[in-house]
Every structure is written in structure tokens, then in C-alpha cells.
Amino acid sequence: LGVELVVQVVGWRSEFVFGPDRYWNLFDILIFLSALYQVVDTGLSKFSYVRAIRFARTAKAIRALKFVRYSESLQRLLHSAWPIALTLFWTACIMLICSYIV
């Protein structure tokens, strides 16, 4: 994550701070700093380092959602899949309730 951030700063230069994606870049910096703080704070123990990397990867996956607004076909796909996901969620809830009752 740190290497990617450095490459972005070098590649985008002033656009990294003043460009249209400046808020996402700020979000990347905050994720990096929080992961770095967690690693330094816990004394570089292996377990906490793995957790920090996992958090950073999850945040990067969330950042990838910004590409949805650029792709109309992806928007349509997600728009059509949302009711299915909602139905699946409620079905899982009912199955959990039934498994605890029986």
C-alpha cells in the first residue's frame, strides 16, 4: 500500500492533491497512515501487521467502488443484482432463526 501511494504521488504530482480524485487520494493517505500507526503502535508483531494489511486491502476494495459511476453497464448489473442480494439476506436470516428454533 505504501509503495502504491508513493507511485501515485510521483506519477500524478500536483494532480494527486488538486485533481478530481483528490478526496479518494486523501482517503488512501488516511488508510495508509492508520495502518502504519497500528503497525508501529503494536511493536510490529506479526498478528497486528496482518490485520493492518487486511484492513488496508478492504479499504482499497471499497475505493474501487468509485469506478461504478463511470461504467453504465456495471451500474445496470449492480442495480439488477441488489434485489437478489436483499432477498438472499432475508432468506439467510429466516434460515438462521429456524435453525435456532429447531
Side-chain angles (χ1 to χ4, degrees):
L1 184 64
V3 174
E4 180 185 352
L5 193 61
V6 169
V7 169
Q8 283 183 1
V9 169
V10 170
W12 288 104
R13 296 189 180 145
S14 65
E15 288 291 315
F16 186 81
V17 178
F18 301 111
D21 288 336
R22 64 184 172 265
Y23 297 114
W24 287 109
N25 295 335
L26 177 64
F27 181 64
D28 279 344
I29 291 170
L30 290 175
I31 290 170
F32 173 72
L33 291 176
S34 68
L36 183 65
Y37 173 75
Q38 184 177 5
V39 168
V40 171
D41 187 45
T42 56
L44 296 173
S45 69
K46 185 178 180 181
F47 178 72
S48 64
Y49 180 72
V50 171
R51 189 181 336 168
I53 296 298
R54 189 177 303 139
F55 172 74
R57 285 183 181 165
T58 304
K60 291 294 285 184
I62 293 170
R63 185 181 187 267
L65 292 176
K66 78 174 188 174
F67 293 111
V68 172
R69 65 180 164 180
Y70 299 121
S71 174
E72 186 177 330
S73 59
L74 186 57
Q75 285 178 353
R76 272 187 268 145
L77 176 70
L78 290 175
H79 183 69
S80 63
W82 179 249
I84 296 168
L86 197 56
T87 303
L88 184 62
F89 170 75
W90 286 114
T91 303
C93 288
I94 290 173
M95 289 176 66
L96 284 171
I97 291 170
C98 289
S99 68
Y100 284 116
I101 292 175
V102 175

